Each structure stands twice: as structure tokens, then as C-alpha cells.
Amino acid sequence: MTPPRSAARNAGRAPGAREKFSDWANRHRKWLFAAPAMAFVGVLIIFPLAWTLYLSLTDSQGSVRAATEFIGLENYLTVLSDVERFWPAVGRTLTFTGIALVCEVALGMGIALLLWRPFRGEKWVRVAILLPLVATPVAVGMMWRLIFDPNIGFANQLLAAVGIPAQPWLSGQDTALGTTIFMDVWQWTPMVVLILLAGLTSLSEEPDEAARMDGANAFQRFFFITLPLMMPTVIVAILLRGIDALKTFDILYATKGKGGGSFHEVETLNVYAYGLSFDYNQYGLSSAVLILFFIIIIGSMWLLTMRKKAVSK
Amino acid sequence: MTVLNENTETQTSAGQPRQPRPVRRPKKPLGTRAYKVFRVAALIAVVLFLVAPLFWMLLASLKTNVDIYDTAKSFIFSPTFENYANVLQRNNYFVFIFNSFWVAFVSTALSLVLGVPAAYAMSRFTMHRSALVVLMARVIPGVSLLVPWYYVFSNLKMVGGFEVLILSHMFVALPLIVYIMMSYFDSLPLELEESAQVDGLTPIGAFQRITLPLSVAGMATAGILSFIFSWNNFMFALVLSGSKTKTLPVAIFDFVSYASIDWGGLMAAATVVTIPIMIIALFTQKYIVSGMTAGATKG
């Protein structure tokens, strides 16, 4: 559409080489603009992904430079039949993500509703919401380590004040995963709040008004009017948060260290794969784990996107 | 106070002609008195829940280790800056602060240079498939890239240098920037550029002189978020940084690899990482919120 115009404009001038280049650039600006970024991502992602896929079919281990042999699907068979580490890690990943998401969306919706209408001191609440979001996850992990310390932590002091016996929190085999979920909820509920609040403020008031006229109470209006209208935004929030929750690494590694603690109590797929690669140098096996992990992520995203399309209609 | 407010509100809405109001104003005075009390209590609880842990970290960083172990001195103690002095001087944290800043700054700047034109092209020419390739970077677990990267970069003798760290952080920043800027360009009307072209600008000229100046706010949003994510990034720096290029999150993590933890020092170190990013966040609130919610409410 544009080349004729610029060609006409340049017709009167001396056809210098610069002119020609800028004409060419304007005509091809679509790819000229997009290609560098795509090339960067392509080289840094697609090529490593292909490599990971290849490594998952070899017996690579020890050193990344060591000679490897092609062993087909053997790594996948090893991983899929591993009920000691792999399947529990899958379970923990799904438990962590599932519980964290449910808590974050429920709490996030509650807080977003509280913030929906204007009020005095709004500014301070907004600041409070921003703080966990920008706090460095490793520092956050360290902070919770102190708070949840069984002997000197504030959490047990608080429990003692209301007469509940001390809990082991992070150091307990059964309580560690729950405690890390709590940390994730603390850090990321604000993000869900921000997304849902943006959705709420963009809703039109008419349906709510009409229901109010018809005498619906606050709960009825929320469950039958606001919530259905908010469903697409809720699913976007789940999608955005879910991807990151599945990949959680910083807080788990910062609080429990290698292997997700001595009994692997918080070892999710990401922590497991990291450990296989950089603590045990089992590159073939870890690559197989990663490919399976990737399939799980893509699969759950796909399911959610389908759900969103269904809801939007 | 509340009763007074209620009265004035009902009076104005009954006595005066309707005036156009901002979208978020309720059309009626809000709820019952009981709900108001509940709302204030709930909001205070939310703020406490979000801020108290950070406050606890700050308190602990001002205590001696003896005081930290004394639960009677939870809130009443004589504050000391000893931990900060230790962390900053003995452990070379100024170097780590510089490293973090440098890596975050350069990777953000380069990602903006690459990402903004790309987002523009993807938005204007609706290159959804191409956009998907770039956005895929947000979905892939970082570990799956680290092994190949490590192999290539250690063969090139680049591991431990700033270049590798910056490249790896750009991998986080670029998709984020493309995502935010795409939704920003989507909301800029096409007519502005078209009329600029009618007035004689080339398409690229129109992008440079019209679209870019108009999207400064969007670039600020994308840049700030990308800086924060890079500052906070842990996993890539854990594998790819060397002793000279170590960033703050890795430096804090090193604190706990010993048998006994120096809690006061650790909390001071953690505070040192979080304070700069929180100050930035406080001054740029509006941008962070718009970045975090970019594209989230579109159908």
C-alpha cells in the first residue's frame, strides 16, 4: 500500500543509494522490525530446546563435553518408571500449583472486591500490594526462613500467644510444602488482585444496577452477575499465574536448598530437573524430565485457553 | 464522621442534578454500616499480612544475633547498624550491587531496542504466530535452556562474564517487553501515523517521530518491569555468573551455605537487595500496575 506513495515522492529526487535503502527499509519494515527480536529468541530458545530434545535421547552425563551415545527412549522409560523422585515431584508440582492458585484466586477476588469502590487511604493499600510483588524472591525466601524458624521464628511466637503448640513449618517433612505454598500466596496474590481489579473496573455497571433494582442482595449480585462477567479475566489471571507457579524455583531453592530438602519434601519438577543437571550432571535424564515438564505446562495452558474461549462465548 | 459523609452523599445525589462521574464511583452510597466496618477491618488485615513480614525482616536486620535468639526482645531492643556495616564492607556487597544494577540496566536497554520495534510490527501487521514464538519464552522452564547455554558459553570461555548474564537476562526481558508493548501499540490509534504519512513522512519516519514519542509511557512500563525481573532473577545468575559477576540474589544465597546462619547479617543482606527495588517501585507505581495488567482484560 505504501510503496507507490514513497516512490512517487522520491521520483523528483536524485536516486542516491541512501534513498534506495530507506525505500527498501520502508517496504520491508515488517520483517526489519520483527526479525532481530525473533532471531534473538530463536537462537536463544529454539536451538537450546532442540538440543534438550536431542540430549534426552542420549546417555549424556558427567560433563557436557563428554562423548554421548544415542539410546533412544531409554531415559524416558527410566524417568517414567521412577516412583522415588519423578512421580512425587510431579505430584508436588501439581499440588503446589493447584493449591496456590486456588488460594490466590479466592483471596485475590476478595481483596479486589474490597478495593473496587473508592475509599480513604487507598494509596497506602496500593503500596502494600506492590511491595511483595517487587521483593526479590530469594530475599523473600530468607525472610520466611527466619519467620518460620521453629525456635526463634515469629510464626511460632504468634502461635504460642494464642496457645497453639509450636509447628516445625519448613523443617517438617509434612509441613514444608504447605509452608512454601503459603509463601507463594503471600508474594503473588497481589498480582492476581491487580489483574482482577483491572477487570472489575472495566465492567459496565448496568447489569449490576439492574439486579440491584430487582432486589438482588450483594451475594446474589456477585455470584450471578459479577463472577460470570469476570470469568474471562479470572482465567487470564490463572493462566498468567499458573505458568509461573508451575515453574517456581527461587523460593523453593532458597528455603530448602538442593534436592528440595533432605527428604525432597519440596522437590518440584523444576527443582528436580535443576538438581539432575547442575548437582548430579545427569544431562540425558534431566533433559527427558524437562521435555515431560514442558509437555505438562503446554498441556495445562492449552486446556485453560480452550476454557477461556468457551467462557468468552 | 461516617454518618456525616453518608448524609452529605444522599443529599447531593437527591437534591442536585446528576453529574458525570468517574467510572469507579458507586451510584449509591455504599452498603450498610456493618459492611463498612468489616471492610475497614479486612483492609487493615490485608495490609498487615502483606507488610508485616517485610517489617520483621527489617527489624531482625537491626538486631544483634544475641537479640534475634531472645524471643523476649521481639520488638523492644537497641537497634544497631552493625549487620549492615558487616555485609557491605566485609562481604563486598557494593560490588554485587553494582553487578546487579549493571546487568539489569544493560539487559533492559538492549531488550527495549530489540523488543519495541518488534512489538510494533507484530501489533500493526497482526503477526500473531511470530508473536507466539517470542512469547513462548515465557512458558519454557529456564532449566531446559541452561544446559545448552552452559555448554556453548563455556566452550566460548564466556561463562562468568557479564555478556552471558546480560544475554540470559534479556531472555526474560524481551518477551515481557514485547508482550507489554504489543498491547500498548494495539491501543494507539492507527490514524495518527496515517495522517503523518499523508503529510509526507515515510512509514518508518512516522514510527520514529509520531509513534515512538507517544509510547514513552509504555516503554517506561516495560522497562521498569524488565529491570525489576532482571534484578530479582536468581536461577540464571546462579549457573552463569562467576565470582566477579555475581549478582545480589546469588550473593545472599551464598550466605546460608555455612553450618550456622548469621541471621542478622542475612536479614541485612536481604534488606539491601529489596530496598532499591522497592524505592523504584514506589516512585513508579502507576507503570508497574499497568505493566502487570497489560492485556489481561482483553477478550
Side-chain angles (χ1 to χ4, degrees):
Chain A
M1 28 165 197
T2 41
R5 193 188 294 155
S6 52
R9 207 164 48 79
N10 290 330
R13 301 183 190 176
R18 239 187 100 86
E19 217 74 30
K20 266 182 206 155
F21 173 73
S22 81
D23 265 357
W24 178 87
N26 273 311
R27 247 181 296 124
H28 298 277
R29 66 186 190 286
K30 178 178 170 183
W31 291 107
L32 201 66
F33 279 8
M38 291 181 65
F40 178 85
V41 172
V43 170
L44 243 62
I45 295 181
I46 295 173
F47 153 75
L49 262 193
W51 195 324
T52 304
L53 193 62
Y54 163 75
L55 277 182
S56 74
L57 303 172
T58 69
D59 64 349
S60 171
Q61 59 171 308
S63 156
V64 267
R65 290 188 201 81
T68 56
E69 213 172 297
F70 191 80
I71 53 169
L73 293 176
E74 204 174 292
N75 283 327
Y76 289 91
L77 292 178
T78 315
V79 167
L80 287 173
S81 60
D82 172 10
V83 289
E84 299 258 303
R85 298 286 288 274
F86 178 75
W87 286 110
V90 172
R92 280 184 216 107
T93 308
L94 297 179
T95 312
F96 183 93
T97 307
I99 297 181
L101 273 179
V102 169
C103 295
E104 281 160 23
V105 170
L107 259 178
M109 182 59 100
I111 298 174
L113 286 173
L114 283 176
L115 297 177
W116 190 7
R117 308 300 187 188
F119 61 96
R120 226 178 311 152
E122 213 175 327
K123 224 172 137 188
W124 294 102
V125 180
R126 284 177 183 273
V127 169
I129 282 185
L130 222 55
L131 291 181
L133 270 182
V134 296
T136 310
V138 177
V140 168
M142 298 304 174
M143 171 185 97
W144 287 118
R145 258 174 99 147
L146 175 61
I147 293 176
F148 283 125
D149 186 281
N151 301 313
I152 58 170
F154 187 65
N156 277 342
Q157 286 182 43
L158 215 64
L159 289 190
V162 288
I164 302 172
Q167 300 295 318
W169 303 113
L170 279 169
S171 41
Q173 243 190 94
D174 308 317
T175 48
L177 192 64
T179 311
T180 55
I181 292 175
F182 175 87
M183 297 175 194
D184 194 76
V185 169
W186 178 82
Q187 184 152 38
W188 294 110
T189 301
M191 188 171 119
V192 179
V193 172
L194 291 182
I195 293 173
L196 294 182
L197 196 56
L200 280 175
T201 41
S202 69
L203 285 187
S204 87
E205 296 229 346
E206 272 80 47
D208 196 61
E209 276 295 288
R212 199 194 290 260
M213 295 293 183
D214 294 341
N217 66 31
F219 286 100
Q220 288 168 330
R221 292 203 310 275
F222 173 71
F223 282 107
F224 297 110
I225 310 284
T226 312
L227 193 58
L229 286 173
M230 283 290 289
M231 262 340 259
T233 314
V234 171
I235 293 177
V236 169
I238 295 177
L239 205 64
L240 289 178
R241 187 74 269 285
I243 295 168
D244 288 336
L246 281 171
K247 296 191 298 177
T248 302
F249 177 80
D250 299 14
I251 278 193
L252 301 178
Y253 205 75
T255 50
K256 294 298 289 181
K258 290 176 182 173
S262 22
F263 301 98
H264 313 301
E265 51 273 45
V266 300
E267 188 175 66
T268 59
L269 276 174
N270 216 9
V271 176
Y272 181 44
Y274 181 90
L276 274 181
S277 291
F278 294 102
D279 296 335
Y280 301 104
N281 302 329
Q282 296 279 351
Y283 301 112
L285 272 184
S286 81
S287 298
V289 171
L290 282 165
I291 296 293
L292 293 170
F293 185 25
F294 192 48
I295 292 172
I296 292 179
I297 294 181
I298 294 285
S300 35
M301 272 190 65
W302 181 78
L303 277 178
L304 274 171
T305 323
M306 289 297 112
R307 181 86 195 111
K308 179 168 178 259
K309 273 184 190 153
V311 168
S312 299
K313 278 172 196 165
Chain B
M1 274 307 276
T2 29
V3 182
L4 249 175
N5 273 342
E6 225 168 30
N7 282 337
T8 43
E9 259 181 64
T10 36
Q11 265 172 20
T12 44
S13 61
Q16 285 170 6
R18 277 196 163 210
Q19 284 178 351
R21 337 157 169 252
V23 182
R24 287 187 60 200
R25 285 284 149 192
K27 296 207 168 149
K28 283 181 184 176
L30 202 130
T32 59
R33 205 190 165 102
Y35 174 72
K36 278 182 184 160
V37 172
F38 163 76
R39 189 174 185 228
V40 170
L43 284 170
I44 291 175
V46 168
V47 171
L48 266 183
F49 174 67
L50 296 178
V51 175
L54 292 164
F55 184 66
W56 189 251
M57 171 171 86
L58 188 69
L59 278 189
S61 75
L62 297 170
K63 290 179 193 172
T64 60
N65 276 320
V66 179
D67 283 353
I68 288 178
Y69 276 92
D70 188 348
T71 48
K73 290 190 175 170
S74 288
F75 293 102
I76 299 145
F77 61 96
S78 45
T80 163
F81 285 95
E82 202 181 304
N83 294 319
Y84 288 94
N86 273 344
V87 162
L88 291 172
Q89 283 168 4
R90 258 184 250 159
N91 294 312
N92 249 344
Y93 265 59
F94 285 114
V95 175
F96 303 142
I97 293 173
F98 169 79
N99 290 347
S100 271
F101 179 82
W102 183 243
V103 170
F105 179 76
V106 176
S107 64
T108 299
L110 290 177
S111 305
L112 277 173
V113 170
L114 281 182
V116 171
Y120 174 79
M122 287 167 183
S123 161
R124 284 293 183 257
F125 300 98
T126 53
M127 304 160 73
H128 288 298
R129 277 216 194 98
S130 310
L132 205 65
V133 173
V134 176
L135 296 181
M136 210 166 81
R138 279 199 69 172
V139 182
I140 298 172
V143 194
S144 60
L145 308 167
L146 270 170
V147 174
W149 285 358
Y150 191 80
Y151 176 81
V152 171
F153 291 131
S154 65
N155 268 346
L156 295 170
K157 303 242 183 319
M158 280 167 74
V159 170
F162 276 118
E163 300 88 349
V164 181
L165 269 187
I166 288 169
L167 277 179
S168 71
H169 283 222
M170 279 177 73
F171 161 81
V172 184
L174 190 64
L176 189 76
I177 286 172
V178 169
Y179 182 72
I180 292 172
M181 290 311 288
M182 267 183 76
S183 72
Y184 195 83
F185 286 130
D186 283 345
S187 69
L188 271 187
L190 190 60
E191 286 75 23
L192 290 170
E193 283 162 44
E194 282 175 349
S195 61
Q197 284 183 37
V198 171
D199 289 344
L201 279 176
T202 58
I204 292 183
F207 168 70
Q208 280 177 343
R209 298 216 206 148
I210 309 290
T211 316
L212 271 188
L214 281 176
S215 46
V216 168
M219 287 189 279
T221 301
I224 291 162
L225 271 193
S226 142
F227 188 92
I228 294 176
F229 274 70
S230 171
W231 181 276
N232 288 347
N233 187 300
F234 174 57
M235 192 205 273
F236 290 163
L238 188 62
V239 175
L240 296 173
S241 72
S243 53
K244 280 186 189 146
T245 57
K246 200 177 278 178
T247 58
L248 276 172
V250 182
I252 310 176
F253 184 72
D254 284 353
F255 233 104
V256 289
S257 44
Y258 312 107
S260 74
I261 297 177
D262 164 15
W263 282 115
L266 182 62
M267 290 303 114
T271 311
V272 166
V273 202
T274 29
I275 290 278
I277 211 74
M278 280 186 178
I279 291 173
I280 294 177
L282 289 185
F283 284 107
T284 56
Q285 269 199 63
K286 176 176 97 176
Y287 297 110
I288 296 181
V289 172
S290 70
M292 292 261 176
T293 54
T297 53
K298 275 188 293 185

